[in-house]
Amino acid sequence: MTWQKQQLPSDHPPVKSGRVGVLLVNLGTPDAPETGPVRRYLKEFLSDKRVVEIPAIAWQPILRGIILNTRPKKSAAAYREVWTEDGSPLAAITKAQAEGLQARLGDAAHVDWAMRYGTPAIPDRLEAMMDAGCDRILLAPLYPQYSGATSATVVDKANDWLRDRRWQPAMRTLPPYHDDPAYIETLAADLSAQLDALAFEPEVLLLSFHGMPQRTLELGDPYHCHCSKTARLVGEKLQRPGMRLVTTFQSRFGPAKWLEPATDDTLEAEAKAGTKRLAVAAPGFSADCLETLEELVIQGREQFTEAGGEQFAVLECLNAREPGMAMLEEMVRRELRGWV
């Protein structure tokens, strides 16, 4: 234990310290499925130098002059397709994950959540944790597979906040967990249960990960390798010899070459090649979001059936359901050793 109970003089000003915090972080979402909030969200997201690795002098005129004048309206329409009474699915699920983890940890730690882009913002929630007396904080990016454009930019944002603080909390970061036995076993068991519950037996299970530009792999980002290892380990655990596993990458953006094979191209190719029954899972997402609920469930179904496919299903992410929460608790407790 690195902290002992305070024994302050009776005339000492009150000091809030000694608590442990856990901050769950996911990618982000606009505050509403409307053009204005989507434009603000995209501006922040696409201005991140880790997300778009093009010199600002070349990229910003394109972003501000073209993309932010055309893409927000289309993206807002897509968000409206999946928006719920609780708001953005990603925000609602991440909040539920934080609440579920808080219930599991009890008084051992104070749990909160944030979005890397949009609200609640990482600096705001870290500040609130310090105000609540958390001087030891576990930063937990909910990305199983590491990428500079996801995990690293969460740490960047936290470090930006730390840089301006006189009193800094001790910080730890949840490592990527792409091959963590707890994650692989939980994911495989959950996918297996969902496959068993389908009204059909898929010929193919597509494991669709979020795409990244090809150059990120060439520059040394381990993301592609992490995705490939997750897919291999999950396939070994599933043990379904009658079902083919195919790894793909979704959400291409812009003219650059992206990691392949692409999910949309593969859905069409499988249907045209005679595959009639297909399921999709998204192991790189800790919570269902626009990319799973609209891009896969809606667009993916259209792409597959219009090309000749017949039966199609998208399996849920782990979300805040019992298997995923038990896995998250196990990983967080492991990282909090020595603090709680």
Side-chain angles (χ1 to χ4, degrees):
M1 176 62 70
T2 59
W3 178 85
Q4 300 297 320
K5 185 176 181 180
Q6 295 174 350
Q7 296 181 349
L8 300 175
S10 59
D11 60 347
H12 195 287
V15 176
K16 288 184 178 180
S17 64
R19 298 186 72 188
V20 172
V22 179
L23 186 64
L24 305 183
V25 183
N26 225 313
L27 184 72
T29 179
D31 293 325
E34 306 299 336
T35 301
V38 171
R39 181 179 290 111
R40 289 193 295 274
Y41 166 72
L42 289 177
K43 181 180 179 182
E44 182 184 8
F45 176 48
L46 296 176
S47 292
D48 190 329
K49 294 179 181 179
R50 285 195 184 270
V51 173
V52 180
E53 296 182 279
I54 299 173
I57 193 170
W59 171 242
Q60 283 297 321
I62 298 171
L63 176 62
R64 295 168 184 266
I66 301 174
I67 295 173
L68 293 180
N69 289 317
T70 58
R71 190 173 179 87
K73 183 177 180 180
K74 180 179 179 181
S75 294
Y79 274 107
R80 284 194 290 272
E81 293 280 346
V82 302
W83 214 258
T84 71
E85 292 182 358
D86 296 323
S88 158
L90 181 63
I93 294 169
T94 307
K95 179 183 179 183
Q97 290 171 325
E99 292 172 346
L101 184 61
Q102 182 69 79
R104 288 169 174 270
L105 296 180
D107 294 334
H110 170 66
V111 183
D112 205 342
W113 63 283
M115 295 282 117
R116 171 58 186 89
Y117 310 101
T119 58
I122 292 172
D124 293 343
R125 300 328 300 155
L126 288 173
E127 193 71 35
M129 283 187 156
M130 281 289 285
D131 290 344
C134 297
D135 52 19
R136 290 160 292 164
I137 299 175
L138 172 64
L139 187 68
L142 296 181
Y143 309 115
Q145 298 78 25
Y146 176 94
S147 173
T150 55
S151 305
T153 192
V154 168
V155 176
D156 287 346
K157 195 67 173 180
N159 285 337
D160 288 343
W161 173 79
L162 283 169
R163 188 177 295 112
D164 295 330
R165 288 201 62 85
R166 178 172 295 277
W167 183 0
Q168 295 181 338
M171 298 282 291
R172 294 178 179 176
T173 303
L174 179 72
Y177 48 97
H178 64 287
D179 60 353
D180 190 308
Y183 165 65
I184 297 299
E185 290 170 11
T186 299
L187 183 61
D190 187 67
L191 293 180
S192 186
Q194 291 192 65
L195 288 168
D196 289 341
L198 293 177
F200 65 96
E201 186 173 344
E203 301 164 72
V204 174
L205 174 62
L206 221 63
L207 297 180
S208 180
F209 296 87
H210 199 287
M212 293 288 173
Q214 174 70 24
R215 70 186 299 269
T216 62
L217 172 61
E218 297 163 357
L219 290 172
D221 195 299
Y223 179 73
H224 182 269
C225 300
H226 283 190
C227 294
S228 299
K229 189 171 186 181
T230 295
R232 175 175 60 81
L233 294 175
V234 168
E236 291 171 358
K237 284 286 183 182
L238 283 177
Q239 295 184 345
R240 291 179 179 248
M243 183 181 69
R244 245 184 329 116
L245 262 70
V246 179
T247 302
T248 62
F249 298 90
Q250 63 182 86
S251 309
R252 290 176 295 180
F253 175 74
K257 181 177 177 60
W258 283 57
L259 297 177
E260 295 180 339
T263 298
D264 52 358
D265 290 346
T266 302
L267 288 171
E268 184 176 345
E270 284 287 344
K272 288 183 176 179
T275 300
K276 299 299 183 185
R277 306 182 307 279
L278 183 143
V280 183
F285 297 87
S286 60
D288 279 304
C289 53
L290 182 72
E291 286 77 10
T292 63
L293 299 173
E294 195 273 338
E295 188 175 348
L296 295 179
V297 173
I298 299 174
Q299 292 188 40
R301 180 182 300 278
E302 291 176 357
Q303 290 157 353
F304 183 65
T305 56
E306 288 179 3
E310 295 177 358
Q311 293 175 296
F312 179 85
V314 176
L315 308 183
E316 287 185 58
C317 296
L318 289 172
N319 295 330
R321 291 180 287 114
E322 172 62 25
M325 291 308 305
M327 176 204 74
L328 185 59
E329 180 188 5
E330 178 180 342
M331 293 192 301
V332 165
R333 285 191 181 276
R334 181 195 310 157
E335 298 305 316
L336 291 178
R337 286 174 185 165
W339 282 0
V340 299

